[in-house]
Amino acid sequence: MAENRRVVLASRPTGWVSEANFRLESGPLPRPKDGEVLVRNLWLSLDPYMRGRMNDTKSYAAKQEIDQVMVGGTAGEVIESRNPRFAVGDKVAGMFGWQEYGLSDGANLNKVDASRAPLSAFLGVLGMPGVTAWVGLLDICQPKAGETVVVSAASGAVGSVVGQIAKLKGCRAVGIAGGKAKCAYVVDELGFDACVDYKAGRLNEDLRAAAPKGIDCYFENVGGEILDAVLRQMNAFSRIAVCGLISQYNATEPYGVKTFQSILTNRIKVQGFIVSDRMELWAKALPDLIGWVTGGKIKYRETVAHGLENAPKAFIGLLKGENFGKQLVKLA
């Protein structure tokens, strides 16, 4: 009998996540009942939001329970079906979490056309991260041609798409990333106008040079000192879409923003958002993203770990900024 390997949350982290917070288990392969399908997961998505779910605190979504499969997006293939909507061989994206097989009644399971793009792309640029970029930039920030758009974590799965969409809309795109290699990738391969290396120790000066006319739109993924630096240079009536605060996810003490007054002085619109709150926009965002990707107007990069057993290590690396682009685990 085939087995289903899965990674569960063994304990809640205090501060930084460690591999000891996870446990790899094996169990029997689930069998579909009437109306259900069995999916072999081929790809697992790793995303920063998973860190917040590991805490025992109130948030926008249910916490990750101890001894339960870690939450996460997956892409795979239907290998057994008792649901008329799905056939064996269909490629699908769902939320089966950190495991090699998943059982579904078809709810929240979506067929994807893997002939148009690699299956893994439907967990990145053509999935939740890509739609997050589209919603945060175009629906919340609403940039106008000629404006300056700044995005932190610019080489990541979301940030890399934000900057490229900004360029498509006629804006000046400025990234913030950690290290010369990431900044070179953002400018030379993705086509940003500039990129600030926050690890170089000249964040305020370099950001001022990269955005000499100030900042009109800021897509926030990081928080902390980077948010402070950006707030110092925001223009009047500028907009900030708060997508993530990854610098704070493993902090034992929250960072106190020092330049909050800029929000009042510059009459800045600041809005936090969760892309799952705007499901009605996915039908508008995905055709745009598919067209831009297949037309070569948006490029993307993936960092791939191999094997479910390596998911915890890859996840910790993601939180430390070790990935380029989308972090994935190849399961088969």
Side-chain angles (χ1 to χ4, degrees):
M1 290 286 291
E3 288 191 320
N4 180 31
R5 295 196 308 163
R6 62 183 198 167
V7 173
V8 303
L9 182 64
S11 60
R12 300 198 186 281
T14 301
W16 272 97
V17 179
S18 75
E19 292 188 51
N21 295 129
F22 305 93
R23 184 173 67 251
L24 180 64
E25 297 181 342
S26 293
L29 191 68
R31 292 299 179 191
K33 301 175 183 176
D34 285 342
E36 294 182 331
V37 295
L38 179 63
V39 176
R40 185 185 186 192
N41 298 323
L42 303 176
W43 293 93
L44 167 65
S45 173
L46 298 181
D47 300 281
Y49 76 82
M50 297 171 179
R51 176 61 185 86
R53 300 278 188 95
M54 297 171 75
N55 294 333
D56 189 10
T57 55
K58 181 180 179 181
S59 185
Y60 63 88
K63 66 185 178 183
Q64 169 70 51
E65 295 292 348
I66 299 290
D67 296 328
Q68 296 299 307
V69 177
M70 279 290 297
V71 66
T74 54
E77 181 178 353
V78 175
I79 60 171
E80 190 175 347
S81 177
R82 299 183 68 180
N83 184 315
R85 290 177 47 222
F86 298 91
V88 171
D90 281 348
K91 300 298 190 297
V92 293
M95 289 290 293
F96 290 122
W98 296 23
Q99 58 182 340
E100 293 176 330
Y101 295 87
L103 197 63
S104 173
D105 62 2
N108 301 316
L109 189 65
N110 299 306
K111 295 181 188 179
V112 297
D113 186 355
S115 68
R116 302 196 67 182
L119 183 60
S120 58
F122 293 91
L123 294 178
V125 66
L126 301 181
M128 182 271 291
V131 177
T132 297
W134 191 101
V135 171
L137 183 63
L138 300 184
D139 184 62
I140 296 176
C141 286
Q142 299 182 8
K144 303 174 183 66
E147 290 189 326
T148 296
V149 174
V150 173
V151 56
S152 53
S155 68
V158 174
S160 61
V161 179
V162 170
Q164 291 180 87
I165 296 177
K167 290 298 296 178
L168 288 170
K169 298 300 180 179
C171 300
R172 176 174 177 81
V174 177
I176 302 174
K180 292 182 179 179
K182 288 186 176 181
C183 278
Y185 165 69
V186 164
V187 174
D188 298 339
E189 293 191 42
L190 301 184
F192 284 50
D193 294 286
C195 185
V196 174
D197 176 7
Y198 71 84
K199 292 183 177 180
R202 304 181 303 274
L203 179 58
N204 289 292
E205 300 90 330
D206 290 349
L207 185 58
R208 192 173 300 113
K213 296 182 179 180
I215 300 168
D216 300 295
C217 299
Y218 176 47
F219 195 106
E220 173 63 290
N221 288 310
V222 174
E225 293 180 3
I226 290 176
L227 174 58
D228 257 335
V230 171
L231 283 172
R232 293 186 183 101
Q233 299 184 43
M234 298 297 291
N235 289 330
F237 302 104
S238 51
R239 291 82 69 199
I240 299 176
V242 183
C243 173
L245 300 165
I246 195 171
S247 72
Q248 302 300 292
Y249 293 166
N250 293 288
T252 54
E253 292 291 332
Y255 178 89
V257 176
K258 301 177 177 65
T259 49
F260 191 85
Q261 182 178 341
S262 176
I263 297 173
L264 173 60
T265 304
N266 292 301
R267 289 84 84 203
I268 303 171
K269 171 188 171 183
V270 182
Q271 183 175 334
F273 77 103
I274 306 300
V275 71
S276 58
D277 291 338
R278 303 305 307 275
M279 294 305 295
E280 77 279 6
L281 294 178
W282 284 59
K284 293 178 63 177
L286 283 173
D288 281 351
L289 293 165
I290 291 172
W292 290 330
V293 170
T294 57
K297 295 180 179 179
I298 285 186
K299 300 177 182 178
Y300 66 96
R301 187 166 172 176
E302 298 171 338
T303 297
V304 179
H306 293 267
L308 182 64
E309 65 277 6
N310 290 314
K313 181 179 179 181
F315 179 60
I316 294 168
L318 167 72
L319 295 176
K320 293 181 177 180
E322 295 174 0
N323 60 301
F324 258 89
K326 177 64 187 172
Q327 179 65 63
L328 297 162
V329 181
K330 194 173 189 301
L331 300 177

